[in-house]
Amino acid sequence: MKRRTLLLGGAGLAALAAGGLGAWRITAADDAAVGQSGFAVTRTEERWRMLLTDAEYQVMREMGTEQPFSSPLNAEDRAGTYLCKGCALPVYASDTKFESGTGWPSFTEALPDAVGTQDDDTLFATRTEVHCRRCGSHLGHIFDDGPPPTGKRHCLNGLALQFLPA
């Protein structure tokens, strides 16, 4: 396969121009395992570890959870878009963010066709895990205790997100 570099469209290009996402180019080497995971963006474990900090890797690739109140995104209140840190896909709009008091960035809903969900029964009850639909990175969980209009709380790890101001 020829080596190719595909820069992400839309918000990814804008962020790249701003100097924020230079590491998030998708290359043929990254896509070597396409088809095995079902995600459009796949990378080897070695490549993920090169791109992510240890804490980001633990959250995004091993389904961990960051410490509550540790993310600077908790206090982010500017207009903009939250991107998956794994592939720069726009996943949440700032106008759906709310203060949940839980210590994690919380949203009422994701952008259309941005995330996937699956059951997570790793604790004492079944929860709904939310992940990036393009690269499969674990973003957090969805709970049924959010405000109107959805009644949902997408409780996310700030380590899995990057904020792109409007």
Side-chain angles (χ1 to χ4, degrees):
M1 176 183 281
K2 287 188 206 174
R3 179 165 172 80
R4 64 176 162 76
T5 301
L6 171 66
L7 290 178
L8 303 171
L13 285 176
L16 184 60
L21 294 175
W24 302 128
R25 288 190 183 104
I26 302 168
T27 67
D30 293 334
D31 288 337
V34 166
Q36 294 177 10
S37 71
F39 295 106
V41 173
T42 57
R43 297 186 170 106
T44 64
E45 181 179 343
E46 178 181 44
R47 181 74 170 146
W48 279 117
R49 288 191 181 276
M50 281 179 28
L51 292 173
L52 304 172
T53 67
D54 289 344
E56 290 166 347
Y57 186 89
Q58 197 269 333
V59 165
M60 296 168 58
R61 308 311 304 167
E62 296 179 336
M63 293 23 147
T65 301
E66 69 190 4
Q67 291 296 311
F69 302 101
S70 64
S71 175
L73 295 180
N74 288 336
E76 182 58 67
D77 61 0
R78 295 175 290 171
T81 305
Y82 292 83
L83 312 176
C84 169
K85 196 173 270 185
C87 68
L89 178 71
V91 286
Y92 288 88
S94 62
D95 61 359
T96 65
K97 187 173 188 264
F98 69 98
E99 176 52 54
S100 66
T102 62
W104 291 279
S106 297
F107 301 81
T108 56
E109 63 186 343
L111 290 169
D113 196 32
V115 301
T117 61
Q118 64 187 32
D119 287 343
D120 174 4
D121 58 4
T122 57
L123 290 180
F124 302 107
T126 299
R127 303 175 295 167
T128 301
E129 177 194 335
V130 61
H131 58 265
C132 173
R133 70 122 174 111
R134 186 161 60 190
C135 72
S137 290
H138 170 76
L139 302 176
H141 291 88
I142 302 172
F143 300 96
D144 292 324
D145 60 1
T150 65
K152 302 290 185 187
R153 174 173 53 95
H154 292 234
C155 186
L156 306 182
N157 292 286
L159 285 172
L161 302 172
Q162 182 165 356
F163 181 71
L164 181 64

